[in-house]
Every structure is written in structure tokens, then in C-alpha cells.
Amino acid sequence: MRIAESELIINPDGSVFHLHLRPEELADTVILVGDPGRVDMVASFLTDIEFRRASREFVSVTGRYEGKRMTVLSTGIGTDNIDIVMNELDALANVDFATREVKPEHRTLTILRIGTTGAIQPDIPLGSYIFSHISVGCDGLLNWYSCRDKVSISDMEEAFVRHVGWDPHLPSPYFAKAGEKLIRAFEDSTVKGVTISAPGFYGPQGRVLRVPLAMKDMLDRFESFRFGEWRITNFEMEGSALAGLAAHLGHVAGTVCCAIANRHLKSSNPDYKPQVRGLVELSLKKLAGLQA
């Protein structure tokens, strides 16, 4: 089936609409960062840089780390941007831009998001690296797709909704699991995470400045949730859409973050950049060691 020009917009130079990448420029291994300024820091570890491109918040570089070709791409903040990024990365990998038809052979990408996070459990210290085995989508994005129930862990989702007394005015949450290959790669060096992906930094993460919350004791409810061995560990803002869309599109994806705040302890570390740099180095080594 041919994909219409209105559905997949291709720029005059043959690049995809928002990311401004051409299919041949995309590596099989992709590192996502939120901050466009962080792309150059990650790229400083790479050799054989092929290009650097910037369009809005989407900055991209492709190069090599220990011989393995990788693309580094910034997404900006939020799952709405992840919707753009994931669909356009998949189009670059799996749509023939000349014919506008899906390629007969599926190309699988390995996609790792590296970010920062706020822990909510008292025993997770600042500077911890948390890998999101499961991401809890409080953003509603995946509910727009038919794959929503296929990728959500339904019994955990139902238990969570009951435990926290989920406000019916809020989007229905979904529980999306990271790719097994990445889970195995990071399990020996990170905290095992169940991560809330929030659609905002303030109210959706339980912060109160001048407007009160719809669920007043939200943080306490999240912190006390248990489902077998699982507990909610941290907040961030992109991982659920990444894990959910990747699972449906046939890619391997996950999120790993450095804890720069602890919401339970009301502590933060504004001088976190050296620790994030350490997480980038760890992540690059893990990705370089993965088998295709």
C-alpha cells in the first residue's frame, strides 16, 4: 500500500519532515537525548562523524563508537515529540521513500534514551542509574493507537489504577516494557525501574507551586504501589511512548536515566553533568557490546 504524501511528508532533499534525516544516514543503533545541547557531548565520544544536522529541537549526528555505527538524536521534551521521533525513525528504516511503500524486509532498530530523572523511593540515592524495565504512560499518547492493549501489561495496569484511585478525568495509564536485549545489557549496573512517564514537569509529577493537584496525595500513592516484585521508582517524561511504540513497530528500545533528584527526600543535585557523562560512557559501552 502506498503511503500518501500528506501522511508521510518527505522534504525536497529526500529527508523525513521533522528530523531532516535521509534513510542512508540512520544507523541501526540510535541514542536519544532530550536536550539538543547533549548531542555534542555524546558525539564527542564518537569517531568518523558523518554529519551534524539541526532542525528545531531535533539535532542529529551519526558516527562510530568502537567501530559500531550509531546515530545520536535529540528529541526535546515530552511524549508528543517521541511520537514524531519514533514514527519518523521507523519510516526511515522501513519505508521505501521512492515508492512510499513498506519495505518487504523489516529493519529492527536498537534505540536507547539517556536522560535525567527524579527518584521517588527513599533508598534510591542521587546519582543512581535507573533502567526503566517498565514505563507507565500517564500521557495518553499510546491510547490513540490500536496497539495500546497489545503492549500494555493489563493486570499491572489494573492494579495500579485501583491502588492510586486514578482520577477518571486523566488519560488511562498504560504499562509498556522495554526491549529484553537492553534489559539484559543494563541489569548488572542499574536500578531496576518502573518509571512514570508524566505529561508535564509540575502537576503531572506531583509538584505544587500555586495550583493544587487533582490527586492531592499522588506521590504517596505512587510510592506505596506494589505489584509482586515491582514498585514505582522514578519520574521522567518520554519513556512510555518510546517503549510502547517500539514494541508495536518491532524495534528494541529502552530508557536509562541518572537520578538528579529524590522526591521523597526532597533533595536534588544541580551539579549532575559529570554523572550524566558517566552514564553516557556506560551506555555507549553497553550498546557497542550488543550483538545484532
Side-chain angles (χ1 to χ4, degrees):
M1 181 181 71
R2 187 176 186 276
I3 300 172
E5 284 83 350
S6 60
E7 310 306 287
L8 175 62
I9 301 174
I10 299 173
N11 297 315
D13 65 354
S15 65
V16 72
F17 185 53
H18 294 92
L19 304 185
H20 281 260
L21 288 170
R22 293 189 291 270
E24 67 273 14
E25 295 173 332
L26 177 66
D28 289 340
T29 299
V30 182
I31 296 172
L32 301 181
V33 295
D35 181 1
R38 198 170 289 157
V39 171
D40 289 338
M41 186 271 279
V42 179
S44 70
F45 292 96
L46 305 182
T47 60
D48 304 313
I49 299 296
E50 299 174 20
F51 63 87
R52 183 187 188 278
R53 192 158 299 125
S55 174
R56 305 185 191 186
E57 58 267 65
F58 306 113
V59 177
S60 55
V61 171
T62 292
R64 293 183 180 272
Y65 182 81
E66 295 184 355
K68 189 166 191 173
R69 191 169 184 247
M70 299 184 186
T71 295
V72 185
L73 171 66
S74 62
T75 66
I77 296 174
T79 55
D80 53 344
N81 279 8
I82 297 298
D83 181 62
I84 292 171
V85 168
M86 283 302 299
N87 278 287
E88 294 194 0
L89 287 177
D90 181 72
L92 287 164
N94 290 303
V95 176
D96 186 322
F97 277 24
T99 64
R100 292 184 165 274
E101 294 182 347
V102 176
K103 296 175 182 178
E105 292 187 12
H106 181 270
R107 177 184 174 192
T108 300
L109 303 175
T110 298
I111 307 169
L112 179 68
R113 181 177 117 68
I114 304 173
T116 56
T117 188
I120 68 169
Q121 298 293 342
D123 61 325
I124 300 178
L126 298 180
S128 298
Y129 298 154
I130 304 173
F131 186 88
S132 303
H133 289 230
I134 298 170
S135 292
V136 185
C138 298
D139 54 284
L141 187 138
L142 210 65
N143 298 334
W144 291 92
Y145 291 92
S146 63
C147 63
R148 184 244 190 262
D149 289 337
K150 295 178 182 177
V151 303
S152 186
I153 306 169
S154 59
D155 51 352
M156 193 173 184
E157 175 188 320
E158 292 164 5
F160 176 78
V161 167
R162 286 195 305 270
H163 177 81
V164 302
W166 194 253
D167 189 314
H169 294 98
L170 300 176
S172 179
Y174 56 90
F175 282 64
K177 191 174 182 183
E180 287 292 343
K181 184 165 69 171
L182 286 172
I183 288 175
R184 290 194 299 270
F186 281 87
E187 62 187 354
D188 64 345
S189 51
T190 57
V191 175
K192 186 176 185 178
V194 177
T195 303
I196 299 286
S197 284
F201 184 77
Y202 290 95
Q205 295 189 36
R207 290 184 171 92
V208 178
L209 301 184
R210 296 185 60 236
V211 182
L213 301 176
M215 294 191 296
K216 295 182 177 59
D217 56 348
M218 186 177 80
L219 282 177
D220 291 338
R221 297 184 202 182
F222 286 1
E223 184 183 328
S224 61
F225 174 69
R226 297 292 184 274
F227 188 80
E229 63 176 315
W230 301 104
R231 60 178 184 164
I232 305 295
T233 52
N234 60 308
F235 280 109
E236 55 86 67
M237 296 177 64
E238 289 84 25
S240 59
L242 172 62
L245 286 173
H248 189 60
L249 292 168
H251 302 297
V252 177
T255 294
V256 63
C257 291
C258 178
I260 66 171
N262 186 295
R263 302 297 302 288
H264 179 95
L265 302 175
K266 301 188 185 305
S267 59
S268 67
N269 175 23
D271 186 24
Y272 59 82
K273 290 184 178 179
Q275 293 168 323
V276 172
R277 187 176 179 88
L279 177 57
V280 167
E281 291 188 81
L282 171 68
S283 299
L284 287 167
K285 291 183 184 300
K286 297 289 187 183
L287 291 170
L290 289 177
Q291 298 300 313

